[in-house]
Structures are given as structure tokens and as C-alpha cells.
């Protein structure tokens, strides 16, 4: 407990306010998500996600090529979370409930959405950390509040939907690219940017818009930073 108290004492005022902001966003995002509304597409995504994990476990790789919705990233995140829940339920009660069982649906609904909310919250944290280094902590805090408390973003993250996940991974990719160009010589940030971009594209094809963003950012960086072609 004393270590946690010392950690808080070392934080700046803006860092403490960010922690409070983050906890509030997390509260709004996770509050009763097991009983949150279900979107029309989710009825298909449940079965596709469960079938995907089942085919992976059975090494039926050819059957993992399914409908592009909800995306491979969602299949892995929500599918593994759902499979973990079903296995734990089996150990406790001796059987695996059907997805649509009334008595347990709020638990399966929580299982598939919880990892997607976690991805959205990870983006919020990375957003604050990167913006604070690109600018300063004051700007990072205010911009995080404006972004993180958006009802639309929180609402999407509370649904079994790909939009919040693709937004998060696209945002992480874009931020890591900027951080690599502006504040770091370490190529690991560029690698992280590429991995995040790949996960975004595997979530939804709209992530293809990262490519024109990449070209524009590199062009602006080339013009204003006067880097040589060899740098790229």
C-alpha cells in the first residue's frame, strides 16, 4: 500500500487527473455491459466467433476463412474470451451453456464485449501518454477528456461491434508513427505502429485509410524536417 501511495505522490497533477478520467471512462464503458443492448449483426457474429475458435482448436484451418465480419482480430479477442468463460463455467457446473441461454446470456455477452472495451481503454491510455510527449501533459489531459468521454465512442465499445476496435488500433498506429518521427530514433515504435495497423486492417477493411495517412505524414515530415531519402 505504501508503494502505491508513493507512486501517486510522484505523479504530476495532470497525471492524477488523467487517472481519475481513465477510471471514469472505464466505469462508463464496463457498467452493466453484460446487459447492454445487442446490435443486429451480433446475432451472426456470436456463432461465427465461436465457430472460428472451434475450428482453430480442431486445426480445421480451411474453415477459419469465414464471412469478413466481424474480422479476424475480433474473432481472436472475443472468441478467446468467450471460450475462457465457457471452460470456467464447465469446470464449475459440469456443462457448457448455449450462447443464447437466457439465464447465462448476460455472462456470455460480457465475455465477448469485455476484451473490446479493454482495447478501447488501452487506446485512451496510449493517447494520453503519446500526446503528453508530443506536446505536454496539459494538452494531453484536455484532449483525452474530449476524446475519451465521447458518448459515441463509449457506446460503440459497449457493443459487439468492430468499429471501436478498428478505431483504437488505427489510432494507436497513427500515434506511434508520429512518435517515431518526432521524438524517437527507436525503430520499435515504427514496428508497433505497423502491428497496430495490421490488427486494425484485420478488424475492418476501413483501416485501409491508414495508407494515405502514412503517405501524407511522411511527405510532411520530409518537407519540414528536411530528412534524407535514406532515412525512409
Amino acid at each position: 500500500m505504501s508503494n502505491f501511495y508513493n507512486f501517486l505522490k510522484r505523479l504530476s497533477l495532470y497525471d492524477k487527473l488523467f487517472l481519475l478520467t481513465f477510471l471514469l471512462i472505464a466505469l462508463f464503458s464496463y457498467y452493466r455491459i453484460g446487459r447492454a443492448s445487442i446490435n443486429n449483426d451480433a446475432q451472426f457474429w456470436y456463432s461465427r466467433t465461436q465457430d472460428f475458435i472451434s475450428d482453430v482448436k480442431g486445426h480445421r484451418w480451411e474453415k477459419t476463412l469465414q464471412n469478413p465480419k466481424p474480422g479476424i482480430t475480433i474473432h481472436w479477442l472475443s472468441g478467446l474470451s468467450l471460450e475462457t468463460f465457457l471452460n470456467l463455467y464447465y469446470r464449475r457446473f459440469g456443462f457448457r451453456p448455449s450462447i443464447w441461454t437466457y439465464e447465462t446470456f448476460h455472462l456470455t455477452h460480457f465475455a465477448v464485449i469485455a476484451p473490446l472495451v479493454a482495447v478501447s481503454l488501452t487506446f485512451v491510455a496510449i493517447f494520453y501518454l503519446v500526446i503528453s510527449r508530443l506536446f505536454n501533459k496539459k494538452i494531453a489531459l484536455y484532449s483525452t477528456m474530449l476524446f475519451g468521454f465521447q458518448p459515441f465512442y463509449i457506446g460503440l465499445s459497449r457493443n459487439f461491434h468492430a468499429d471501436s476496435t478498428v478505431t483504437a488500433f488505427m489510432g494507436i498506429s497513427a500515434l506511434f508513427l508520429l512518435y517515431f518521427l518526432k521524438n524517437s530514433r527507436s525503430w520499435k515504435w515504427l514496428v508497433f505502429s505497423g502491428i497496430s495497423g495490421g490488427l486494425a486492417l484485420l478488424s475492418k477493411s476501413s483501416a485501409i485509410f491508414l495508407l494515405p495517412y502514412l503517405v501524407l505524414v511522411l511527405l510532411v515530415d520530409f518537407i519540414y524536417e528536411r530528412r534524407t531519402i535514406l532515412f525512409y
Side-chain angles (χ1 to χ4, degrees):
M1 193 68 181
S2 60
N3 291 333
F4 179 71
Y5 179 72
N6 291 331
F7 168 75
L8 290 179
K9 285 182 63 177
R10 291 195 298 268
L11 295 178
S12 68
L13 173 62
Y14 293 114
D15 289 336
K16 293 175 182 177
L17 290 175
F18 166 72
L19 285 178
L20 177 60
T21 299
F22 182 85
L23 290 175
L24 286 174
I25 296 172
L27 174 64
F28 295 146
S29 299
Y30 274 113
Y31 179 70
R32 292 174 62 86
I33 61 170
R35 302 186 185 277
S37 61
I38 179 172
N39 50 300
N40 292 334
D41 292 338
Q43 58 180 313
F44 306 109
W45 294 5
Y46 268 105
S47 57
R48 292 171 189 167
T49 298
Q50 191 173 37
D51 290 344
F52 176 84
I53 295 299
S54 177
D55 291 333
V56 169
K57 289 174 60 180
H59 299 166
R60 297 182 294 271
W61 308 114
E62 71 284 356
K63 292 186 177 181
T64 59
L65 181 60
Q66 303 185 48
N67 189 292
K69 294 182 179 181
I72 297 299
T73 307
I74 312 298
H75 281 322
W76 279 110
L77 290 172
S78 295
L80 288 176
S81 179
L82 177 60
E83 185 68 15
T84 300
F85 160 72
L86 293 175
N87 286 336
L88 292 174
Y89 196 93
Y90 178 81
R91 290 184 181 182
R92 177 65 177 83
F93 298 103
F95 70 97
R96 291 163 62 99
S98 169
I99 294 176
W100 303 108
T101 301
Y102 176 79
E103 290 79 7
T104 57
F105 179 72
H106 64 286
L107 298 175
T108 57
H109 199 44
F110 176 90
V112 298
I113 300 176
L116 307 184
V117 174
V119 170
S120 298
L121 292 175
T122 300
F123 177 37
V124 172
I126 291 176
F127 184 88
Y128 174 78
L129 294 173
V130 175
I131 296 298
S132 65
R133 295 190 180 189
L134 291 177
F135 299 97
N136 56 59
K137 291 186 177 181
K138 181 179 180 180
I139 292 176
L141 176 64
Y142 291 155
S143 57
T144 302
M145 286 181 170
L146 289 173
F147 166 70
F149 282 123
Q150 283 190 76
F152 185 71
Y153 183 69
I154 293 176
L156 273 180
S157 69
R158 290 171 53 83
N159 278 280
F160 192 18
H161 202 281
D163 282 357
S164 64
T165 304
V166 71
T167 299
F169 281 121
M170 286 180 70
I172 292 171
S173 177
L175 287 172
F176 280 157
L177 175 62
L178 291 177
Y179 185 70
F180 165 73
L181 292 173
K182 296 298 295 181
N183 284 50
S184 174
R185 294 287 183 178
S186 176
W187 288 88
K188 68 180 181 181
W189 301 109
L190 186 61
V191 173
F192 290 156
S193 176
I195 292 174
S196 301
L199 291 173
L201 190 58
L202 288 173
S203 300
K204 198 171 184 179
S205 59
S206 56
I208 197 69
F209 286 103
L210 280 172
L211 291 179
Y213 167 81
L214 170 65
V215 173
L216 180 61
V217 167
L218 293 180
L219 179 61
V220 171
D221 182 73
F222 175 75
I223 294 173
Y224 286 94
E225 297 297 330
R226 301 183 182 277
R227 303 188 197 273
T228 64
I229 296 295
L230 293 177
F231 176 83
Y232 302 102

